[in-house]
Amino acid sequence: MKPDGTRQIAFILGHEFTALDAVGPYELLRLMPDTEVRFVAHRPGPVLTDGGVLSLVASHSFDETPEPDIVLVPAISANGPHIGELLEWLRRVHRTTEWTTSVCGGAMLLAMAGILDGHPATTHWSALEALPNFGSDPRPEERVVRSGKIVTAAGVSAGLDLALWLVGELHGQEWAEVVQLMAEYDPQPPFHAGHMSKASPRVRELAAAEMDRLYPAG
Amino acid sequence: MKPDGTRQIAFILGHEFTALDAVGPYELLRLMPDTEVRFVAHRPGPVLTDGGVLSLVASHSFDETPEPDIVLVPAISANGPHIGELLEWLRRVHRTTEWTTSVCGGAMLLAMAGILDGHPATTHWSALEALPNFGSDPRPEERVVRSGKIVTAAGVSAGLDLALWLVGELHGQEWAEVVQLMAEYDPQPPFHAGHMSKASPRVRELAAAEMDRLYPAG
């Protein structure tokens, strides 16, 4: 936290990242009092998402962001450019963060940086089985997993639940409810297949095939 | 729909728009088969969101997008630049769209374009009372309101529910469930104040004050 009580939140952008992983939490966390948000990549400028059409613009570089209070890592292609810089930066800033967080495949970046070693975690269901390779204990039944100052969320839309929980931790339940109401986060999905345990075998099979098609590198 | 069966979805970007209004639905709708997504503004290039930090990049201009199959309008500042062009474009393309949709304050743009005249609709709770000025009947209790080919969603996060519903309409329940599972849309908010009817009087009061502070122009 800065001397004036402001927290800086760094949302990381990287090659072929998943937009909602970052934008979901951003839209809730930005509504907290005394919060400075920034979008951070190896350098400022547009960063293309995994769909190949949408770009978000990084406002700051890693070098310009040496001491974020909160870091949020979305799914980013682990084979993309500047991954080495990202992992090195994550290792460095994690020493002084208040919270280090990930959404979806962002947990794999934390894992590759060595940050999840010895910690339970979650990630997108398609990546859960890789976590033990990095010393992390997968928690497939939990949507948001906290271990010390590390918080990981399940796939894509789970970042909203992570963020709302974090607002509650930082500013109490009343303020979390204010943020929830401002964003009208009163979810009413018309279908109920959002978790592996709830989807039919056929839907699981089709979803796994689609994931392989869209993300052939895993 | 194009001769090859592809649908084009135009997500509109405009001055001080709310990022999640567009990115939430995008992240689900882009997973449909035979779908071309694009981000459309008065011209291609970065467009700043309401928080003043994040920009998304428009991939195409209005002129380059004369016949989208689906239009999705997020909350955009009604006093911003290029609103006239946006409204004129909306009126024109609405004649041939398959679906015309909005999330959050995006309904106000549809209303200003005359598209909601005679239609029930919803929008962010802070804007509901303005709908009757445009001949639209507000539905404060409904998260997603369909009237013919017009579909409006409540505030910010409601776009996810609109999008999932729309995938079901276009490709059936099984495919909607595949998309839901891919995005792990199995929401578990830790608090339950996401609708005016669920929030305490104190939370409603604080949220209204925050809305006035962040969006003084309404």
Side-chain angles (χ1 to χ4, degrees):
Chain A
M1 205 182 299
K2 304 296 167 279
D4 68 355
T6 300
R7 280 191 182 85
Q8 183 184 84
I9 310 183
F11 297 91
I12 310 309
L13 306 184
H15 187 65
E16 296 182 347
F17 74 106
T18 301
L20 185 57
D21 295 6
V23 172
Y26 153 79
E27 205 67 87
L28 298 174
L29 294 174
R30 77 181 181 94
L31 299 175
M32 293 193 300
D34 305 322
T35 301
E36 182 225 324
V37 295
R38 51 173 61 192
F39 288 81
V40 181
H42 71 287
R43 59 175 164 76
V47 182
L48 194 63
T49 64
D50 49 359
V53 174
L54 175 63
S55 291
L56 272 65
V57 181
S59 58
H60 294 82
S61 68
F62 293 136
D63 287 347
E64 288 166 343
T65 310
E67 274 189 89
D69 297 292
I70 300 173
V71 170
L72 187 141
V73 187
I76 293 171
S77 171
N79 307 313
H82 309 289
I83 281 293
E85 286 163 73
L86 168 57
L87 297 180
E88 189 189 334
W89 180 85
L90 281 174
R91 277 183 211 108
R92 196 167 57 236
V93 301
H94 176 61
R95 290 182 204 133
T96 53
T97 56
E98 186 180 0
W99 296 96
T100 299
T101 72
S102 67
V103 176
C104 194
M108 298 316 299
L109 281 302
L110 297 186
M112 289 165 68
I115 291 170
L116 294 188
D117 192 13
H119 291 276
T122 192
T123 180
H124 192 274
W125 49 262
S126 62
L128 279 166
E129 66 183 17
L131 285 175
N133 302 337
F134 299 92
S136 174
D137 178 26
R139 296 286 168 89
E141 298 305 323
E142 293 173 46
R143 191 151 169 89
V144 177
V145 176
R146 179 200 174 164
S147 178
K149 71 174 187 179
I150 302 167
V151 194
T152 53
V156 196
S157 59
L160 289 161
D161 296 326
L162 182 157
L164 191 56
W165 176 85
L166 193 52
V167 178
E169 289 293 306
L170 294 171
H171 292 278
Q173 177 168 348
E174 185 172 82
W175 196 266
E177 292 185 353
V178 170
V179 166
Q180 184 176 22
L181 183 56
M182 290 175 76
E184 287 207 69
Y185 186 43
D186 179 34
Q188 296 172 26
F191 306 107
H192 304 285
H195 187 266
M196 284 301 249
S197 65
K198 299 176 180 175
S200 70
R202 172 74 177 151
V203 165
R204 292 204 300 267
E205 187 186 322
L206 287 167
E210 276 297 292
M211 288 299 298
D212 285 346
R213 190 177 69 77
L214 290 176
Y215 304 96
Chain B
M1 203 182 300
K2 306 295 167 281
D4 68 356
T6 300
R7 279 191 184 86
Q8 184 184 84
I9 309 182
F11 297 91
I12 309 310
L13 306 183
H15 187 66
E16 296 182 348
F17 74 105
T18 301
L20 185 57
D21 294 5
V23 171
Y26 153 78
E27 206 68 86
L28 297 175
L29 294 174
R30 76 180 181 94
L31 299 175
M32 293 194 301
D34 305 323
T35 300
E36 183 226 323
V37 295
R38 51 173 62 192
F39 289 81
V40 180
H42 71 286
R43 60 175 162 75
V47 182
L48 194 63
T49 63
D50 49 0
V53 174
L54 175 63
S55 291
L56 271 66
V57 182
S59 59
H60 294 81
S61 69
F62 293 135
D63 288 348
E64 289 166 343
T65 311
E67 273 189 90
D69 297 291
I70 300 172
V71 170
L72 186 140
V73 186
I76 293 171
S77 171
N79 305 315
H82 308 291
I83 281 293
E85 287 163 73
L86 168 57
L87 297 180
E88 189 188 333
W89 180 84
L90 280 174
R91 277 182 211 109
R92 196 166 59 235
V93 301
H94 176 61
R95 290 182 205 132
T96 53
T97 56
E98 185 179 359
W99 296 97
T100 300
T101 72
S102 67
V103 176
C104 195
M108 298 315 299
L109 283 301
L110 296 186
M112 290 166 67
I115 291 170
L116 295 188
D117 192 12
H119 292 276
T122 192
T123 179
H124 192 275
W125 49 262
S126 62
L128 279 166
E129 66 183 17
L131 285 175
N133 302 337
F134 299 93
S136 174
D137 178 26
R139 297 285 167 90
E141 299 305 322
E142 293 173 46
R143 191 153 170 88
V144 178
V145 175
R146 179 197 174 165
S147 178
K149 70 175 187 179
I150 301 168
V151 194
T152 54
V156 197
S157 60
L160 289 161
D161 295 327
L162 181 157
L164 191 56
W165 175 86
L166 193 52
V167 177
E169 289 295 305
L170 294 172
H171 291 278
Q173 178 168 348
E174 185 171 83
W175 195 265
E177 292 186 354
V178 169
V179 165
Q180 185 175 21
L181 183 56
M182 290 175 76
E184 287 207 67
Y185 186 43
D186 179 33
Q188 296 171 26
F191 306 108
H192 304 284
H195 187 267
M196 285 302 249
S197 65
K198 298 177 180 176
S200 71
R202 173 76 178 148
V203 165
R204 292 204 300 266
E205 187 186 321
L206 288 168
E210 275 298 292
M211 289 299 297
D212 285 345
R213 192 177 66 79
L214 290 176
Y215 304 96

